[in-house]
Amino acid sequence: ISVSEDHFVKVRQIIKDLVAKLASEAEAEKSQKAFCDELMKLAVTQRDKSQAKIEDLSAQTTGKESDKAQLKEDIATLTREIADNKKALMEGTELREEESKENAKTITEASAGKEAVTSALEVLKTFYEGAAFVQGRFVPTNSDRSGHTVADVAPPIFDAEYKGS
């Protein structure tokens, strides 16, 4: 008896081979998807970290630009104040120089005046101390040799006011 070959065995074998191939492809796809998911997760994490770093640096840059603008404003203000102070210093120096000249002129005039007063005092001193002008004691008219008048030598009689008899 000859057994004929079962055609279904071959079909079953092809089906088993296809299932095994599909299973191995599914496994390969599954491991590739896991690999892609892992890389995607790393890429997303890296992107988020980079974005956070960019935002932080951007905030720092904005802060530094604000500080820079404030410092420029401070420099401008201080420059104006320095200019005002220099102007006030120059004006004060000019006033002091004018006052110094005026004071020197006043001192010169005062020195000349002092010399003139000293000279005048010397002239007056020599005039009044010399014999040119001798002044004696005042002697009233109708007085005796010692210069006393009748009223000077009269005794004090009444010590109270007269009221009648």
Side-chain angles (χ1 to χ4, degrees):
I1 321 196
S2 108
V3 178
S4 73
E5 226 178 282
D6 190 8
H7 294 289
F8 288 109
V9 170
K10 201 174 187 183
V11 170
R12 278 189 229 142
Q13 186 59 39
I14 291 175
I15 291 175
K16 282 181 183 176
D17 287 344
L18 279 175
V19 168
K21 184 179 174 186
L22 287 175
S24 89
E25 285 178 3
E27 188 63 35
E29 190 175 316
K30 187 176 176 185
S31 64
Q32 185 178 4
K33 182 173 181 341
F35 177 74
C36 287
D37 287 344
E38 175 125 356
L39 288 180
M40 188 64 127
K41 181 180 174 185
L42 287 174
V44 168
T45 304
Q46 184 65 28
R47 182 199 66 197
D48 292 344
K49 284 181 183 178
S50 296
Q51 186 65 30
K53 188 174 182 179
I54 288 171
E55 289 174 3
D56 182 47
L57 292 175
S58 177
Q60 287 179 6
T61 302
T62 303
K64 297 296 181 186
E65 287 175 356
S66 172
D67 291 345
K68 179 181 173 183
Q70 181 63 39
L71 289 174
K72 280 185 177 182
E73 186 177 316
D74 291 347
I75 288 171
T77 301
L78 292 174
T79 302
R80 281 193 305 275
E81 289 176 359
I82 288 171
D84 291 344
N85 287 341
K86 283 184 179 180
K87 181 181 176 185
L89 179 67
M90 294 294 284
E91 290 173 355
T93 303
E94 288 177 10
L95 286 175
R96 280 192 299 283
E97 288 175 357
E98 290 175 11
E99 289 173 354
S100 177
K101 289 177 185 177
E102 196 173 305
N103 287 341
K105 182 180 175 184
T106 303
I107 288 172
T108 304
E109 290 174 356
S111 297
K114 180 183 175 193
E115 290 174 13
V117 168
T118 304
S119 175
L121 283 174
E122 287 297 321
V123 169
L124 289 173
K125 194 178 210 182
T126 55
F127 178 75
Y128 282 110
E129 284 181 356
F133 184 71
V134 177
Q135 185 175 13
R137 198 176 107 181
F138 174 71
V139 179
T141 56
N142 298 329
S143 63
D144 61 4
R145 279 184 255 164
S146 58
H148 296 296
T149 60
V150 174
D152 290 337
V153 292
I157 306 174
F158 305 106
D159 47 347
E161 189 178 313
Y162 177 71
K163 302 209 181 197
S165 40

